[in-house]
Amino acid sequence: MTRELDLRTRILATARQLLDEGGVAALSLREVARRAGVTHQAPYHHFGDRESIVAELVTAGFTELAGRLAAANETSMSSAPAEILARSGLAYVGFALDEPGVFRVMFRPELCDAARFPRAQEAGDRAHGELQRMVRLVHGRDDEARAVACWAMVHGLACLFIDGPLGLACPTPASRRALAAQALESLVPAMLAPTPAAKPPRRARSLPAKAESATSKGE
């Protein structure tokens, strides 16, 4: 049994490495087997297809991300709102920097069908729950619009580091984390800004009286 668990762990570690190196295009069961030093059939004993491996990595990724966000929330319970936001943002971006390959596939539903792999969906829900918890800590109430706005900001920043120009401008992990901290310091005021009041729906514009009269005559 231990040997089988070791093989499963080795397969997942190899798949994670392939994602880091070449993205999902580099991930195949045959290549996983070759890199892991096992027979081509060995991965099929644990995973029926590539999507099953991706789903396992996505589940693990969301579980770890939820843990990091939870730790940031726990540490920030009595902190100022700006500090709560910055700490949570660094936890999110830090995860992306540490696990770029897994991060890239976590938000691609075409690679991991939630209906087929409910555990992945549940892990994702836990991570989103910590995001919502952060919003409650900062604003004292649930606000899904704010949660989405904060998520968009930190997710965009993470993507600029792992797949965009910021990664090229900051070649070392330390320089990326330093710039991420500076960027979040600038973004926090926007995250704390009051939500604009909802505008009432515009009424359909009626024809001026003269125009209405002309229209009636034309009829």
Side-chain angles (χ1 to χ4, degrees), residues 79-218:
S79 301
E83 187 177 346
I84 296 172
L85 287 168
R87 189 169 288 153
S88 184
L90 281 175
Y92 191 99
V93 176
F95 170 78
L97 294 176
D98 291 340
E99 303 290 348
V102 172
F103 183 81
R104 289 186 184 102
V105 300
M106 284 166 56
F107 303 94
R108 293 182 58 182
E110 78 277 12
L111 298 177
C112 179
D113 182 3
R116 183 183 173 196
F117 302 102
R119 287 179 59 248
Q121 181 65 54
E122 291 165 5
D125 289 344
R126 287 195 297 274
H128 190 72
E130 290 300 331
L131 176 64
Q132 294 170 318
R133 180 185 175 199
M134 179 207 69
V135 170
R136 288 194 296 272
L137 287 172
V138 172
H139 299 286
R141 59 185 174 85
D142 288 318
D143 190 331
E144 186 62 18
R146 283 190 179 277
V148 171
C150 292
W151 181 17
M153 288 183 186
V154 295
H155 190 84
L157 183 59
C159 290
L160 286 172
F161 277 115
I162 66 173
D163 286 320
L166 294 185
L168 298 175
C170 303
T172 66
S175 63
R176 293 178 183 182
R177 291 178 186 278
L179 182 57
Q182 293 171 9
L184 285 167
E185 187 177 346
S186 299
L187 287 171
V188 161
M191 297 179 187
L192 289 172
T195 303
K199 295 182 179 180
R202 294 183 62 183
R203 295 180 59 186
R205 187 176 180 182
S206 59
L207 289 170
K210 290 183 178 179
E212 288 179 349
S213 177
T215 302
S216 299
K217 290 179 180 179

